[in-house]
């Protein structure tokens, strides 16, 4: 099977690409390298540098590489930036995705796995988020992802597209061998920043908000390893292919950890102290986001394999030996 991975040189996309190779399928990566890293891809990976909205390029790739299905990772994902510059997000995450989808359908590629997000739910006041909750995003990033979900549902009804929208919770961790890992610029995510503050104590970690209505006052999130996410993509692809259907799934561990608990876990794994200080809340952060992923478990047979300590251990290994 030939699988087009858009954004395949990004953080989750690069892990997906390796996972596909390890499972005997053939990834073809399309990435514009705005945020992605060419070094994150194994030498032999078929790679195209370009834009998902470039109709000629995407058509050429589909025909030349005999693409059967598409895993669509390419998107901008900085929530704060999406508030400052929503145009960039609607254009890249929504408009370009529409152009990509149209090109796929015009070339009879009708199997599509979409990287969605728990940010499409907004900030609901529930213990665990399930797929039937209303989706009310609280920032443009979440809206762009929700808009694509709506478009997928309409395209599916009208044109027979078969898709899965996978709503990730907090993607984290790195390759077990340390070959690739998280490398955002700028980095905004908690686990890499906490580990970087251990390696370079001058980079103090700010704890954004200590007055949330949570057990220790800091935000609670559900962290899931990138290879567990990757596994769900192939399971979802298999599911939509076999059942000729479309659906959406939450992907989270169902375990919530506060910022302080993550800091403690980073200290335990590394054996060293995180240099941190308490800071005001970061705008747009919901207090508590934990998945109910029973649907993915039941329908796809998905089981996350990495617990928090394993997630952080892979991230720590990467941070100490980063190649890019
Ligand atoms: N966070 C923090 N300090 C940082 C980065 C993140 O306290 O330097 C907190 C953030 O407020 C959130 C949690 O850590 O509650 C996870 O944030 P991250 O950016 O990793 O993921 P998000 O949940 O925003 O997608």
């Amino acid at each position: 099977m030939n699988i087009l991975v858009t954004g395949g040189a990004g953080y989750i996309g690069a892990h997906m690409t390796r996972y596909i190779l390890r499972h005997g399928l053939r990834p073809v990566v399309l990435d514009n390298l705005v945020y992605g890293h060419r070094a994150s891809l194994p030498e032999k990976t078929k790679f195209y540098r370009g834009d998902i909205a470039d109709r000629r390029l995407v058509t050429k790739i589909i025909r030349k590489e005999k693409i059967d299905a598409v895993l669509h990772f390419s998107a901008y994902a900085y929530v704060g930036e999406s508030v400052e510059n929503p145009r960039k997000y609607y254009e890249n995450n929504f408009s370009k995705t529409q152009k990509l989808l149209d090109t796929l359908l015009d070339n009879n590629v009708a199997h599509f796995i979409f990287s969605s997000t728990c940010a499409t739910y907004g900030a609901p006041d529930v213990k665990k988020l399930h797929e039937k909750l209303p989706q009310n995003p609280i920032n443009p990033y979440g809206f762009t992802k929700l808009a694509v979900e709506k478009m997928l549902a309409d395209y599916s009804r009208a044109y027979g597209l078969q898709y899965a929208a996978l709503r990730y919770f907090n993607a984290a961790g790195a390759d077990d061998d340390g070959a690739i890992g998280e490398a955002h610029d700028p980095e905004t995510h908690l686990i890499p920043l906490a580990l970087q503050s251990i390696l370079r104590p001058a980079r103090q970690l700010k704890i954004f908000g200590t007055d949330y209505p949570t057990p220790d006052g800091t935000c609670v999130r559900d962290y899931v390893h990138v290879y567990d996410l990757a596994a769900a993509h192939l399971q979802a692809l298999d599911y939509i292919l076999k059942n000729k259907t479309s659906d959406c799934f939450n992907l989270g561990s169902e375990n919530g950890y506060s910022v302080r608990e993550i800091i403690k876990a980073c200290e335990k794994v590394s054996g060293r102290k995180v240099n941190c200080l308490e800071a005001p809340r970061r705008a747009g952060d919901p207090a508590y986001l934990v998945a109910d992923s029973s649907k993915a478990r039941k329908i796809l047979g998905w089981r996350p394999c990495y617990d928090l300590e394993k997630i952080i251990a892979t991230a720590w290994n990467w941070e100490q030996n980063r190649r890019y």
Side-chain angles (χ1 to χ4, degrees), residues 189-218:
H189 293 109
L190 178 61
I191 293 176
L193 288 175
L195 297 174
Q196 287 166 19
S197 83
I198 291 172
L199 290 170
R200 288 175 287 279
R203 292 195 192 172
Q204 219 173 15
L205 176 76
K206 287 184 181 155
I207 300 176
F208 292 139
T210 53
D211 59 349
Y212 283 98
T214 57
D216 68 16
T218 64

Side-chain angles (χ1 to χ4, degrees), residues 261-276:
E261 285 174 319
I262 294 297
I263 292 170
K264 278 210 191 82
C266 289
E267 290 178 337
K268 185 173 173 211
V269 166
S270 65
R272 291 158 66 176
K273 278 300 247 189
V274 174
N275 181 13
C276 58

Side-chain angles (χ1 to χ4, degrees), residues 128-139:
K128 284 188 177 174
L129 279 70
H130 56 79
E131 290 85 351
K132 291 209 170 94
L133 280 172
Q135 289 171 288
N136 295 310
I138 57 171
N139 51 59

Side-chain angles (χ1 to χ4, degrees), residues 101-119:
L101 269 178
D102 291 349
T103 308
L104 297 179
L105 289 172
D106 288 346
N107 287 281
N108 301 313
V109 177
H111 299 106
F112 193 80
I113 308 294
F114 175 55
S115 299
S116 191
T117 165
C118 63

